Amino acid sequence: MFYRENGQFKSTYREDQQILGIRQDRWFIFGLIAFALLVVPYWGSDYMFRAILIPFLIVSLAAIGLNLLVGYCGQISLGHAAFMAIGAYAAYNIVVHFPGLNFIVVLVLAGLVSALVGILFGLPSLQIKGLYLGVATLAAQFFVDWVFARVKWFTNYSSSGGVSTAPVEMFGWTIDTPMEKYVFILVVVMVFTLMAKNLVRGHIGRSWMAMRDMDVAAEVIGIRPMYAKLTAFAVSAFYAGVAGAMWGFLHLGSWEPAAFSINFSLNLLFMIIIGGMGSILGSFIGAAFIVLLPLALSQALPLLNNLGLKVDTAMASHLEFMIFGALIVFFLIVEPLGIARLWAVAKEKLRLWPFPH
Amino acid sequence: MLKHLALTAASVTALTMALSAPLVSTAHAQAKEQFFPVLSYRTGAYAPNGTPFANGYVDYLKMLNARDGGVGGVKITYEECETGYATDRGVECYERLKGKGPTGAAVFHTLSTGITFALTDKSFTDKIPIITAGYGRADSVDGQVFKWNFPLGGTYWGAADMLIQHVGKKEGGVDKLKGKKIALVYHDSPYGKEPIALLQERAKMHGYELSLLPVTHPGVEQKATWLQIRQNRPDYVFLWGWGVMNGTALKEAVAVGYPRDKMYGVWWAGAEPDVRPAGDGAKGYNALTFMAPAGQGKVHQDVLKHVHDKGQGTGPKAEVGEVLYNRGLVAAMMSVEGVKRAQTKHGKKPLTGEQVQWGLENLALDQKALAALGFAGYADNISTSCVDHEGGSVAKIHTWDGNKWVVGAEQYTADQQIIKPMIKASAVKYAAEKKVAARDCAKELASK
């Protein structure tokens, strides 16, 4: 009843090509952005920003990056946290050696360094596919872990092997309160999301999808596999690198290589599988699922104590793992294509509601 | 499909409700309560060690509530949050607990060097002290830079220093260490890497050969490490492990035939859960003690009487008096004494983290005061100041005889002549990196 596009006619190519073709969607997204930018900063608490929104946004960006590679181009990467680590350490070293550089420049440079390494580790994809490629990308994870733990230069010879960063400054603005960090990250994530959305519906995204669906056919119609695959690796690693730099500088503040461990890589992969492969929206939903659900569970489970059940912290923690695992299985069975697909189906239904036939 | 939609909608609602819960709960009524957050880990690879510590910590708080009605007439409340030894969860727990209670969290024990590093940055704006008794950043002894960190009773630099003193003494003087080989088997994390700087500094002075053997988390895979030890045959092995890593190291030492009495653990590698898995193989293994060795004193009697005998014990009764349990008790005592000291200045009411910071910075616990608390023989003197947030660092060596820890007679004190300049240099570097303005302690004292 409320969600249908009757009477919305497109009379120009421009209108036909817009990202949000339906007016209701447009209102919803603009409303959401306005809410996130104008209302949340005044209403949110420190806990809200530091424990929920900031990790969620940064991880979403990394998930978008991984989705470009895995969901759009069909190249599996099991070591994506490694590219985040590269972004974080690159940003750290840039700041150490060129103090006073604008943080946006630092972010972009960190992303570029990560993209270069991404291309390097993407080279095996020209020869091998599928699971074999997955194993090859695992090498990135272990190699990067090893390098940052062992080569002292990267950590500026810190005695403990961990690095710590100064508050981020740019244009005379010091980003140090959680609210400021949130706003900055939100803007960065919005810009990069828009870029990703445009990439995947443009020439390059189509060539990625052609590679994903059938590489031989894609080659026959004139798509260069090397170019398509390596650009996917580069762009994906760039996103991960930017996300990693923000994770280090704006979320953790100080970190060690373990902050970007293989667990993080696997979590990113779970995010896009649960959220929806080949869907930008799916990256956000998946990130929300993986980041927020355990927190919600760990907060909600001790409430069972009020009902007379005895749930101590250890029990709650075990239960959290069990329920979380069960929910993953549940969603994969209900909708193997991800929660984003569920959302798309819901939208179809809504168009017909309340008179399906 | 509608059913699924309904399910999704329901879970989304539940989620939002759960998320908005902490917002609501901050609006507490002003009760006469002091809130102590407890970051613990009872699950994961470090649970065998994290659990007794947490039990000791919570039992002490329970005992004070039952025996004295809290601290200075202010009831103690606490809440546990499971970190699983993971830094990101630790930060989340910190954010969750820091605003609870009428005045917010009094003081945090992070119980993880990684979490300490992450929270140190936040302490400057949140103004809540962090006690890292026997762990954390060694350079945070410098209270002029690290206003909110309290590595009470010792740091890893101190611990490494004492171990070198001990093996030096065994050889008949530290100068006899020249040409000797010392291997450091360490947890490959900030925790394990902390002592390296000091060991290298001492190696330059005494001319021993230091080899560094990292073990990756969680430490169950050490075959390669011990193969190297078998080949190199170092004269001493220092073990800087935590959780399952310690037990595994001892088993591997048995497997390659490395004498256990040449092995020295830091105080986090010297508790019952570390040696028991290795069975008889652990006999002869040595480790540093921190504050309290195993055993029971007056405070344990109180805990048993007021908590365990009433069926309120957090863990099993048999655990009372174990090394890590006792360390939990001491840690809780430090928090409470900090609050108590702060009450002398600010009055017997719920205090904020900032007020407790003053208390922790002006602790003066000598043997007499500790005996009055029931900690005679189970804690060492702590006297802190604006400049020195460590408050003294002494330790003994204890040896596992197959059934229990036997404490050696010799008491060691960290050599401040070596450590002080290192702390200063590291703290200055941190202040520069983080753009932290150092305090002027002399000025602060004068203004009082």
Side-chain angles (χ1 to χ4, degrees), chain A residues 167-181:
Chain A
V168 170
E169 264 179 68
M170 59 179 159
F171 308 119
W173 173 40
T174 311
I175 308 180
D176 51 3
T177 69
M179 190 265 274
E180 289 170 331
K181 286 180 184 172

PDB file of all heavy atoms in Angstrom, chain A residues 167-181:
ATOM      1  N   PRO A 167      45.998  11.340  18.783  1.00  0.00           N
ATOM      2  CA  PRO A 167      44.680  11.712  18.264  1.00  0.00           C
ATOM      3  C   PRO A 167      44.800  12.270  16.843  1.00  0.00           C
ATOM      4  O   PRO A 167      45.773  12.944  16.522  1.00  0.00           O
ATOM      5  CB  PRO A 167      44.213  12.798  19.230  1.00  0.00           C
ATOM      6  CG  PRO A 167      44.999  12.600  20.459  1.00  0.00           C
ATOM      7  CD  PRO A 167      46.296  11.988  20.048  1.00  0.00           C
ATOM      8  N   VAL A 168      43.804  11.968  16.030  1.00  0.00           N
ATOM      9  CA  VAL A 168      43.840  12.367  14.631  1.00  0.00           C
ATOM     10  C   VAL A 168      43.516  13.860  14.497  1.00  0.00           C
ATOM     11  O   VAL A 168      42.592  14.359  15.138  1.00  0.00           O
ATOM     12  CB  VAL A 168      42.815  11.531  13.845  1.00  0.00           C
ATOM     13  CG1 VAL A 168      42.655  12.079  12.448  1.00  0.00           C
ATOM     14  CG2 VAL A 168      43.250  10.082  13.827  1.00  0.00           C
ATOM     15  N   GLU A 169      44.300  14.532  13.673  1.00  0.00           N
ATOM     16  CA  GLU A 169      44.066  15.959  13.469  1.00  0.00           C
ATOM     17  C   GLU A 169      43.948  16.270  11.990  1.00  0.00           C
ATOM     18  O   GLU A 169      44.671  15.685  11.176  1.00  0.00           O
ATOM     19  CB  GLU A 169      45.257  16.757  14.013  1.00  0.00           C
ATOM     20  CG  GLU A 169      45.068  17.264  15.417  1.00  0.00           C
ATOM     21  CD  GLU A 169      46.297  18.022  15.868  1.00  0.00           C
ATOM     22  OE1 GLU A 169      46.552  19.095  15.310  1.00  0.00           O
ATOM     23  OE2 GLU A 169      47.000  17.522  16.761  1.00  0.00           O
ATOM     24  N   MET A 170      43.043  17.117  11.648  1.00  0.00           N
ATOM     25  CA  MET A 170      43.047  17.639  10.272  1.00  0.00           C
ATOM     26  C   MET A 170      42.305  18.964  10.213  1.00  0.00           C
ATOM     27  O   MET A 170      41.339  19.181  10.945  1.00  0.00           O
ATOM     28  CB  MET A 170      42.415  16.645   9.326  1.00  0.00           C
ATOM     29  CG  MET A 170      41.013  16.295   9.671  1.00  0.00           C
ATOM     30  SD  MET A 170      40.433  15.156   8.446  1.00  0.00           S
ATOM     31  CE  MET A 170      39.134  14.418   9.309  1.00  0.00           C
ATOM     32  N   PHE A 171      42.772  19.827   9.347  1.00  0.00           N
ATOM     33  CA  PHE A 171      42.208  21.171   9.199  1.00  0.00           C
ATOM     34  C   PHE A 171      42.038  21.827  10.577  1.00  0.00           C
ATOM     35  O   PHE A 171      41.049  22.487  10.846  1.00  0.00           O
ATOM     36  CB  PHE A 171      40.842  21.128   8.502  1.00  0.00           C
ATOM     37  CG  PHE A 171      40.842  20.358   7.210  1.00  0.00           C
ATOM     38  CD1 PHE A 171      40.044  19.236   7.054  1.00  0.00           C
ATOM     39  CD2 PHE A 171      41.665  20.753   6.154  1.00  0.00           C
ATOM     40  CE1 PHE A 171      40.053  18.529   5.865  1.00  0.00           C
ATOM     41  CE2 PHE A 171      41.670  20.048   4.971  1.00  0.00           C
ATOM     42  CZ  PHE A 171      40.863  18.929   4.809  1.00  0.00           C
ATOM     43  N   GLY A 172      42.997  21.583  11.446  1.00  0.00           N
ATOM     44  CA  GLY A 172      42.921  22.194  12.767  1.00  0.00           C
ATOM     45  C   GLY A 172      41.866  21.606  13.679  1.00  0.00           C
ATOM     46  O   GLY A 172      41.588  22.116  14.755  1.00  0.00           O
ATOM     47  N   TRP A 173      41.268  20.502  13.246  1.00  0.00           N
ATOM     48  CA  TRP A 173      40.226  19.875  14.047  1.00  0.00           C
ATOM     49  C   TRP A 173      40.786  18.591  14.638  1.00  0.00           C
ATOM     50  O   TRP A 173      41.237  17.726  13.898  1.00  0.00           O
ATOM     51  CB  TRP A 173      39.015  19.566  13.140  1.00  0.00           C
ATOM     52  CG  TRP A 173      37.915  18.784  13.764  1.00  0.00           C
ATOM     53  CD1 TRP A 173      37.428  18.919  15.020  1.00  0.00           C
ATOM     54  CD2 TRP A 173      37.146  17.747  13.138  1.00  0.00           C
ATOM     55  NE1 TRP A 173      36.395  18.044  15.225  1.00  0.00           N
ATOM     56  CE2 TRP A 173      36.195  17.311  14.083  1.00  0.00           C
ATOM     57  CE3 TRP A 173      37.144  17.156  11.873  1.00  0.00           C
ATOM     58  CZ2 TRP A 173      35.275  16.298  13.810  1.00  0.00           C
ATOM     59  CZ3 TRP A 173      36.233  16.150  11.600  1.00  0.00           C
ATOM     60  CH2 TRP A 173      35.303  15.735  12.563  1.00  0.00           C
ATOM     61  N   THR A 174      40.789  18.463  15.958  1.00  0.00           N
ATOM     62  CA  THR A 174      41.282  17.244  16.586  1.00  0.00           C
ATOM     63  C   THR A 174      40.105  16.323  16.839  1.00  0.00           C
ATOM     64  O   THR A 174      39.167  16.685  17.547  1.00  0.00           O
ATOM     65  CB  THR A 174      41.978  17.562  17.926  1.00  0.00           C
ATOM     66  OG1 THR A 174      42.889  18.623  17.708  1.00  0.00           O
ATOM     67  CG2 THR A 174      42.721  16.353  18.431  1.00  0.00           C
ATOM     68  N   ILE A 175      40.191  15.152  16.242  1.00  0.00           N
ATOM     69  CA  ILE A 175      39.085  14.205  16.412  1.00  0.00           C
ATOM     70  C   ILE A 175      39.383  13.373  17.638  1.00  0.00           C
ATOM     71  O   ILE A 175      40.128  12.407  17.557  1.00  0.00           O
ATOM     72  CB  ILE A 175      38.964  13.294  15.187  1.00  0.00           C
ATOM     73  CG1 ILE A 175      38.905  14.136  13.917  1.00  0.00           C
ATOM     74  CG2 ILE A 175      37.738  12.410  15.288  1.00  0.00           C
ATOM     75  CD1 ILE A 175      38.794  13.321  12.679  1.00  0.00           C
ATOM     76  N   ASP A 176      38.868  13.754  18.783  1.00  0.00           N
ATOM     77  CA  ASP A 176      39.163  12.913  19.937  1.00  0.00           C
ATOM     78  C   ASP A 176      37.938  12.432  20.710  1.00  0.00           C
ATOM     79  O   ASP A 176      38.024  11.418  21.376  1.00  0.00           O
ATOM     80  CB  ASP A 176      40.199  13.560  20.871  1.00  0.00           C
ATOM     81  CG  ASP A 176      39.824  14.978  21.236  1.00  0.00           C
ATOM     82  OD1 ASP A 176      38.738  15.412  20.810  1.00  0.00           O
ATOM     83  OD2 ASP A 176      40.598  15.635  21.928  1.00  0.00           O
ATOM     84  N   THR A 177      36.809  13.087  20.621  1.00  0.00           N
ATOM     85  CA  THR A 177      35.665  12.526  21.328  1.00  0.00           C
ATOM     86  C   THR A 177      35.042  11.431  20.469  1.00  0.00           C
ATOM     87  O   THR A 177      35.162  11.451  19.242  1.00  0.00           O
ATOM     88  CB  THR A 177      34.595  13.600  21.618  1.00  0.00           C
ATOM     89  OG1 THR A 177      34.021  13.978  20.376  1.00  0.00           O
ATOM     90  CG2 THR A 177      35.189  14.809  22.289  1.00  0.00           C
ATOM     91  N   PRO A 178      34.388  10.463  21.116  1.00  0.00           N
ATOM     92  CA  PRO A 178      33.771   9.384  20.350  1.00  0.00           C
ATOM     93  C   PRO A 178      32.779   9.911  19.322  1.00  0.00           C
ATOM     94  O   PRO A 178      32.661   9.369  18.227  1.00  0.00           O
ATOM     95  CB  PRO A 178      33.055   8.559  21.417  1.00  0.00           C
ATOM     96  CG  PRO A 178      33.728   8.886  22.688  1.00  0.00           C
ATOM     97  CD  PRO A 178      34.258  10.272  22.551  1.00  0.00           C
ATOM     98  N   MET A 179      32.091  11.006  19.663  1.00  0.00           N
ATOM     99  CA  MET A 179      31.086  11.529  18.750  1.00  0.00           C
ATOM    100  C   MET A 179      31.735  12.052  17.477  1.00  0.00           C
ATOM    101  O   MET A 179      31.279  11.778  16.370  1.00  0.00           O
ATOM    102  CB  MET A 179      30.296  12.629  19.460  1.00  0.00           C
ATOM    103  CG  MET A 179      29.074  13.103  18.718  1.00  0.00           C
ATOM    104  SD  MET A 179      29.434  14.540  17.735  1.00  0.00           S
ATOM    105  CE  MET A 179      29.196  15.830  18.953  1.00  0.00           C
ATOM    106  N   GLU A 180      32.845  12.767  17.634  1.00  0.00           N
ATOM    107  CA  GLU A 180      33.546  13.297  16.456  1.00  0.00           C
ATOM    108  C   GLU A 180      34.075  12.158  15.598  1.00  0.00           C
ATOM    109  O   GLU A 180      34.003  12.208  14.366  1.00  0.00           O
ATOM    110  CB  GLU A 180      34.703  14.203  16.899  1.00  0.00           C
ATOM    111  CG  GLU A 180      34.233  15.509  17.486  1.00  0.00           C
ATOM    112  CD  GLU A 180      35.359  16.281  18.139  1.00  0.00           C
ATOM    113  OE1 GLU A 180      36.329  15.650  18.623  1.00  0.00           O
ATOM    114  OE2 GLU A 180      35.276  17.504  18.174  1.00  0.00           O
ATOM    115  N   LYS A 181      34.605  11.151  16.259  1.00  0.00           N
ATOM    116  CA  LYS A 181      35.107  10.003  15.512  1.00  0.00           C
ATOM    117  C   LYS A 181      33.980   9.373  14.699  1.00  0.00           C
ATOM    118  O   LYS A 181      34.150   9.046  13.526  1.00  0.00           O
ATOM    119  CB  LYS A 181      35.668   8.945  16.477  1.00  0.00           C
ATOM    120  CG  LYS A 181      36.987   9.323  17.083  1.00  0.00           C
ATOM    121  CD  LYS A 181      37.466   8.231  18.016  1.00  0.00           C
ATOM    122  CE  LYS A 181      38.737   8.647  18.707  1.00  0.00           C
ATOM    123  NZ  LYS A 181      39.132   7.707  19.745  1.00  0.00           N
TER     124      LYS A 181
END
